[in-house]
Amino acid sequence: TASTDDCARMADLKDKLVAIGLDEKKAAEATKNTKLAAMLASVLDEAGVPPCEAAVGKLLYLAATKYPANALPHRTMLLKYIVDGKLKSDPMVIGALEYLSKVGGETVDVTALEAASGVGQESTPAQIKAACAEVIASKKEILMAERYRMNVGLLLGGVREKYPFGDMKLAKEELDAAILALLGPKTDADNEKPKKKKAPKENKPKEANPDQPKAVEAAPEVVADPYKIFPSPKDNNQVATEIRLSSGEVLRPANSPAKLAHHLKTTNGQVWTRFPPEPNGYLHIGHAKAMHVSFGFAKEYDGKCYLRYDDTNPEAEKQEYIDHIVDIVSWMGWKPWKVTYSSSYFQELYELAVELIRRDKAYVDHQTGPEIKASRETHTDSPWRNRPVAESLKLFEEMRRGMWAEGTATLRMKMDMRNENFNMYDLIAYRIKFTEHPMAGDKWCIYPSYDYTHCLVDALENVTHSLCTLEFESRRASYYWLLDSLDTYLPFVWEYARLNITNTVLSKRKLNKLVTDNHVHGWDDPRLLTLAGLRRRGAPAVALNAFCHGVGITRNENVIPMHVLEYYIRENLNKSAQRTMIVLDPLRVVITNAEPSKVEEIESNPPIGNPYKVTFGRTVYIERSDFREQDSKDYYGLAPGKSVMLRWAYPIKCTEVIKDSGGRIMELKCEYDANKSVKPKGVIHWVGEPSPGKEPIKAEVRLYEKLFKSEDPNSVDEWLKDVNPESLVIVRNAFVTPQVADAAHLKTFQAERLGYFCVDPDSTIDSPVLNRTVSLKENLAVQAVKGK
């Protein structure tokens, strides 16, 4: 199996590393790092070792781990210098590496290389000993004063300055011996640890309220600048990947200094990125992360970001999706530098395909889809792979002119059918489709594939950083193979972990299944983590961007708990949402000592948002759950003979409970304390009649929960059966205040003690509809009911 083969290769590599002088532990650790292991295997193969002396092996390991990626074409030459004994020490190898990093892929000046690495400049042991004596003499007074506390590195630096390529290990030994001869053995005073000076104590301010309860939710750690991991555009002359062909040849594509200079002149040295969605569906939370990576990186470094529609498949693309994408990008707060389409480059892409054929890097193939699949499985060349260039040029022109039927011909790139990477198996560049394109119309009947298009358009648009998720990592070889074959500018490619969140699915196929089979109510159903669904649910765009910033940009695959996303939404709404009161399960309360024909308007004073008016009269409504017939010490709601405070209004005391024939509580009789002479511990929310005898405004409230019962529905065999039947509960007779009924669509509110809600687009003044965005934090809810 593949895993068995990998284990065998790693065991063999470990044995080779031990044979060149590494200890067992270091060799074992090296094989655990996939990238390092591959690099070390290549270096040992190029150097033709083992066998070799341990000193040579140490220098080879140093060269492997420090080698500049932009100078990989010269690595074999450097390794030969080490094996042949021309580079004998760490400083010599480091000097050579520094020189090569400046040269990159250009021709090496051997004289300059040897001068930079000290070839022929070696020092003798006698010279090193004399240099050590000079340094000791020059620092004698300081040595006598500081004794063994003096930094020996400063002394070593003096020797290195005179003999930069000398044996510093020998120099250290000579210095230690000279210091011992000068100072004698260490005394007890020399062995004492220096006393640390205590820093003055800070006068920390006392907490304003030490009894205040701590927040239940802790803020996730946030990286200040997650984009620091990306190289500067001016450094894009390194080999981003090695393409190992089955022939044994190794391709190491890199921008030449001239090519990079031309690119930097075009971009003015700025960061240029792109966000390239396919217009064949709705964007989801994973796309929010992709936007944060590409748009955010460009914004952070005063660069530019394209919104590029990757519209190469006319059968799947719709204007509906194009309009949706530009709308969502704007809602998320991003401003594209330019909005472009891959289809805008169809002519340039066609001309590059012709050039690819001329270079004998592509051919017209007549295999069917199943035949291509079978040949890839058996690593077998197409019968038409080696047809004459002129013949492929003629056939490709005929394809363009519509002279071949769909499925009878494709243009394939002549890559490497026996490569270890399946994305090098002669990928299709063009296929025939007699389908009108949403943007290009009926001009074309051949369309470029994604694998052919996206890298070339990156190059045509002078993108500096082509950033995508890790599932595209295996395509990196084909990306650079094509650009290298056409000798274009090479963007820097980097893959990051895709966003995975618990209790949901994000694959386009599964989202489409949920929508088309009516498991949810459309692409903007608030239970979906589509961005349209999150907007309809009331999640602010700034909160989603903060969430994406918080989860960071890494290559480590992980799953983010849903509560982390909810934390960011809640934190934003807590600071921005207008306060109000909503009663979900109303219980009628008659205030027996209030005037029947009078309603008092009371103005609230919420900590966030504008004040709102509530009407207090003879009849008000409270949550049914805020009343119990049996009181207890830890209960702060209403009970017979007990008082609570109506939020913003008065204390009320329950005097009578009215039930129907079945024992269900239908009404409470209460008295209110107009003078507020008592201060109950409990505070509850409520909604009053707007005028005597008139019911409050009724609203439909949609309470949303997680869409799936399992944290990872993707791992469930029958994933559709994992849909949570309680993911949507509709409350049809809730009572709301007039400010909610009059609010614009998507306006957000914090319903005191209940959670955060927004006005759904289905809402009207006469029939308001609210969506619950998230619940309150537990500690806030507890504090509210306790009146804190």
Side-chain angles (χ1 to χ4, degrees):
T1 64
S3 59
T4 304
D5 291 343
D6 289 341
C7 290
R9 278 196 295 269
M10 290 303 103
D12 180 59
L13 176 60
K14 180 187 171 186
D15 292 341
K16 287 181 178 179
L17 292 173
V18 172
I20 68 168
L22 269 67
D23 62 59
E24 290 270 354
K25 183 177 179 182
K26 190 170 184 178
E29 287 298 320
T31 59
K32 292 177 183 177
N33 184 320
T34 306
K35 189 174 180 180
L36 176 60
M39 183 164 37
L40 288 169
S42 297
V43 165
L44 298 185
D45 183 53
E46 289 175 32
V49 297
C52 69
E53 295 180 3
V56 172
K58 174 175 171 288
L59 296 178
L60 290 173
Y61 184 84
L62 173 65
T65 55
K66 301 292 184 183
Y67 199 89
N70 64 321
L72 280 173
H74 308 304
R75 188 169 68 183
T76 302
M77 179 183 68
L78 177 77
L79 299 178
K80 190 173 188 316
Y81 265 76
I82 295 172
V83 173
D84 289 349
K86 292 183 178 179
L87 300 180
K88 304 173 182 177
S89 65
D90 288 6
M92 296 180 81
V93 172
I94 290 169
L97 295 176
E98 288 176 352
Y99 169 80
L100 291 174
S101 69
K102 296 173 184 176
V103 172
E106 299 297 290
T107 304
V108 169
D109 182 333
V110 174
T111 303
L113 170 64
E114 293 185 350
S117 58
V119 175
Q121 304 173 44
E122 298 89 335
S123 52
T124 65
Q127 288 173 320
I128 293 291
K129 187 172 183 178
C132 290
E134 288 178 18
V135 170
I136 292 290
S138 67
K139 302 292 183 183
K140 184 175 180 180
E141 289 186 15
I142 302 175
L143 264 169
M144 296 299 291
E146 297 187 8
R147 291 183 61 78
Y148 286 99
R149 291 194 179 91
M150 185 172 181
N151 185 351
V152 179
L154 297 175
L155 304 177
L156 201 58
V159 179
R160 186 181 289 113
E161 187 176 347
K162 189 166 185 177
Y163 296 111
F165 303 106
D167 186 343
M168 290 301 109
K169 182 179 179 182
L170 175 61
K172 175 68 166 53
E173 293 171 355
E174 289 291 340
L175 287 172
D176 287 344
I179 292 170
L180 179 62
L182 177 66
L183 303 179
K186 285 185 179 181
T187 64
D188 291 341
D190 291 325
N191 291 321
E192 284 182 9
K193 290 184 179 180
K195 294 181 179 179
K196 294 181 180 179
K197 293 182 180 180
K198 291 185 179 180
K201 289 184 178 180
E202 293 183 25
N203 293 320
K204 293 184 179 179
K206 294 182 179 179
E207 293 184 16
N209 183 5
D211 297 324
Q212 186 174 353
K214 304 293 183 184
V216 169
E217 292 182 297
E221 292 184 11
V222 177
V223 178
D225 180 8
Y227 311 108
K228 287 194 296 187
I229 57 177
F230 302 133
S232 168
K234 65 181 177 59
D235 295 329
N236 189 17
N237 61 342
Q238 301 184 8
V239 176
T241 192
E242 289 186 342
I243 305 172
R244 296 186 169 275
L245 303 179
S246 59
S247 63
E249 182 186 358
V250 181
L251 301 180
R252 298 185 174 102
N255 287 314
S256 66
K259 198 179 293 180
L260 181 60
H262 181 267
H263 164 76
L264 293 173
K265 185 177 180 181
T266 302
T267 62
N268 199 28
Q270 291 178 304
V271 168
W272 283 18
T273 60
R274 85 287 186 269
F275 172 59
E278 297 177 65
N280 59 3
Y282 278 67
L283 303 184
H284 55 66
I285 189 69
H287 293 102
K289 179 176 177 179
M291 281 187 259
H292 180 266
V293 172
S294 292
F295 279 108
F297 179 31
K299 183 178 180 181
E300 183 73 18
Y301 286 86
D302 296 321
K304 297 173 180 178
C305 183
Y306 294 92
L307 166 57
R308 183 206 303 158
Y309 291 100
D310 192 4
D311 57 341
T312 59
N313 185 1
E315 294 174 337
E317 290 143 13
K318 295 180 183 178
Q319 188 63 42
E320 171 193 353
Y321 300 135
I322 293 172
D323 295 341
H324 159 75
I325 289 168
V326 75
D327 173 50
I328 286 294
V329 169
S330 176
W331 174 68
M332 288 293 293
W334 303 117
K335 295 182 180 179
W337 174 50
K338 288 182 181 179
V339 177
T340 63
Y341 297 80
S342 292
S343 57
S344 301
Y345 299 95
F346 276 177
Q347 184 61 41
E348 290 95 328
L349 293 170
Y350 172 78
E351 291 169 3
L352 287 168
V354 170
E355 179 60 26
L356 200 64
I357 298 171
R358 287 197 182 110
R359 297 186 182 200
D360 200 19
K361 296 288 187 179
Y363 61 96
V364 172
D365 187 25
H366 302 293
Q367 286 183 301
T368 63
E371 287 172 341
I372 290 175
K373 182 180 178 183
S375 68
R376 283 175 171 165
E377 290 174 352
T378 58
H379 305 279
T380 305
D381 289 348
S382 163
W384 292 278
R385 192 176 200 266
N386 294 313
R387 71 190 331 162
V389 167
E391 190 175 312
S392 281
L393 285 171
K394 176 179 176 291
L395 291 169
F396 188 51
E397 173 61 16
E398 291 176 358
M399 287 170 60
R400 185 189 69 80
R401 292 166 57 191
M403 297 170 66
W404 289 85
E406 286 190 26
T408 60
T410 59
L411 182 70
R412 292 179 67 184
M413 294 177 271
K414 193 181 287 188
M415 303 168 95
D416 185 4
M417 286 296 292
R418 279 162 284 283
N419 200 279
E420 291 182 354
N421 184 339
F422 64 91
N423 279 307
M424 290 292 289
Y425 295 169
D426 288 11
L427 298 179
I428 292 174
Y430 271 85
R431 68 278 200 215
I432 300 168
K433 287 181 181 291
F434 291 102
T435 304
E436 189 169 322
H437 191 280
M439 298 299 297
D442 60 359
K443 181 179 178 180
W444 297 90
C445 63
I446 56 171
Y447 291 100
S449 67
Y450 170 84
D451 290 295
Y452 176 79
T453 303
H454 83 288
C455 55
L456 287 172
V457 178
D458 279 352
L460 290 168
E461 292 188 336
N462 270 291
V463 166
T464 61
H465 297 74
S466 180
L467 309 173
C468 52
T469 47
L470 277 171
E471 62 261 37
F472 293 97
E473 185 175 24
S474 63
R475 284 184 160 102
R476 188 189 285 199
S478 60
Y479 182 106
Y480 281 120
W481 178 92
L482 178 55
L483 297 184
D484 186 62
S485 296
L486 289 167
D487 196 29
T488 70
Y489 159 75
L490 309 174
F492 172 77
V493 175
W494 199 83
E495 303 88 4
Y496 55 89
R498 66 180 296 167
L499 183 59
N500 298 302
I501 300 179
T502 60
N503 304 95
T504 193
V505 294
L506 294 178
S507 87
K508 197 172 290 184
R509 180 182 61 82
K510 288 185 176 180
L511 287 171
N512 189 61
K513 184 74 173 173
L514 288 169
V515 173
T516 55
D517 288 2
N518 298 315
H519 295 281
V520 294
H521 305 140
W523 285 97
D524 65 345
D525 189 302
R527 290 169 291 179
L528 296 177
L529 291 194
T530 59
L531 294 176
L534 284 163
R535 176 166 62 176
R536 185 168 184 173
R537 187 159 175 164
V542 289
L544 301 183
N545 285 326
F547 165 72
C548 292
H549 188 87
V551 299
I553 309 169
T554 72
R555 289 175 59 83
N556 299 323
E557 292 282 6
N558 58 0
V559 180
I560 307 298
M562 182 70 78
H563 69 75
V564 175
L565 173 60
E566 292 175 345
Y567 165 84
Y568 282 96
I569 295 171
R570 189 179 292 113
E571 281 295 293
N572 180 273
L573 291 176
N574 186 45
K575 299 171 184 175
S576 63
Q578 170 72 53
R579 270 46 173 177
T580 191
M581 289 191 287
I582 298 172
V583 175
L584 296 177
D585 187 11
L587 176 59
R588 178 183 169 93
V589 175
V590 176
I591 311 297
T592 56
N593 60 336
E595 294 184 27
S597 60
K598 182 180 177 182
V599 168
E600 177 186 357
E601 277 196 346
I602 299 173
E603 189 162 283
S604 66
N605 184 29
I608 301 291
N610 298 321
Y612 63 95
K613 292 181 179 180
V614 290
T615 52
F616 176 81
R618 189 172 179 84
T619 302
V620 299
Y621 293 85
I622 67 171
E623 291 287 356
R624 185 171 292 275
S625 60
D626 280 335
F627 176 78
R628 288 184 190 173
E629 289 191 84
Q630 297 297 323
D631 195 11
S632 61
K633 288 183 179 180
D634 59 349
Y635 174 61
Y636 295 88
L638 190 62
K642 183 180 179 180
S643 295
V644 295
M645 174 67 76
L646 294 182
R647 181 68 160 159
W648 308 117
Y650 304 99
I652 62 170
K653 181 179 181 180
C654 180
T655 57
E656 187 180 352
V657 179
I658 309 297
K659 300 181 181 180
D660 64 11
S661 58
R664 177 177 168 80
I665 298 172
M666 302 302 295
E667 183 180 290
L668 302 178
K669 303 287 188 183
C670 293
E671 294 178 350
Y672 85 108
D673 179 1
N675 298 319
K676 301 181 182 178
S677 56
V678 296
K679 292 185 177 180
K681 289 183 178 180
V683 179
I684 63 174
H685 62 279
W686 58 284
V687 174
E689 290 183 337
S691 59
K694 184 179 180 180
E695 263 192 344
I697 301 167
K698 282 187 178 180
E700 177 181 304
V701 179
R702 299 167 182 173
L703 305 177
Y704 294 102
E705 292 292 343
K706 297 179 179 71
L707 182 56
F708 290 92
K709 294 176 285 185
S710 301
E711 285 197 352
D712 183 12
N714 293 298
S715 66
V716 177
D717 290 336
E718 297 184 69
W719 65 279
L720 285 172
K721 290 185 178 180
D722 193 51
V723 171
N724 177 13
E726 302 299 319
S727 61
L728 171 59
V729 174
I730 299 176
V731 178
R732 301 194 184 278
N733 293 302
F735 285 149
V736 299
T737 59
Q739 66 161 165
V740 174
D742 295 339
H745 291 167
L746 303 181
K747 170 72 176 176
T748 56
F749 292 93
Q750 185 201 91
E752 302 201 39
R753 300 178 62 237
L754 291 181
Y756 297 96
F757 295 79
C758 86
V759 180
D760 189 83
D762 291 341
S763 185
T764 65
I765 293 177
D766 296 328
S767 302
V769 179
L770 299 176
N771 297 323
R772 183 172 67 186
T773 309
V774 287
S775 60
L776 290 175
K777 285 191 295 188
E778 180 184 329
N779 72 305
L780 291 183
V782 171
Q783 290 176 43
V785 78
K786 291 182 178 178
K788 292 187 178 181

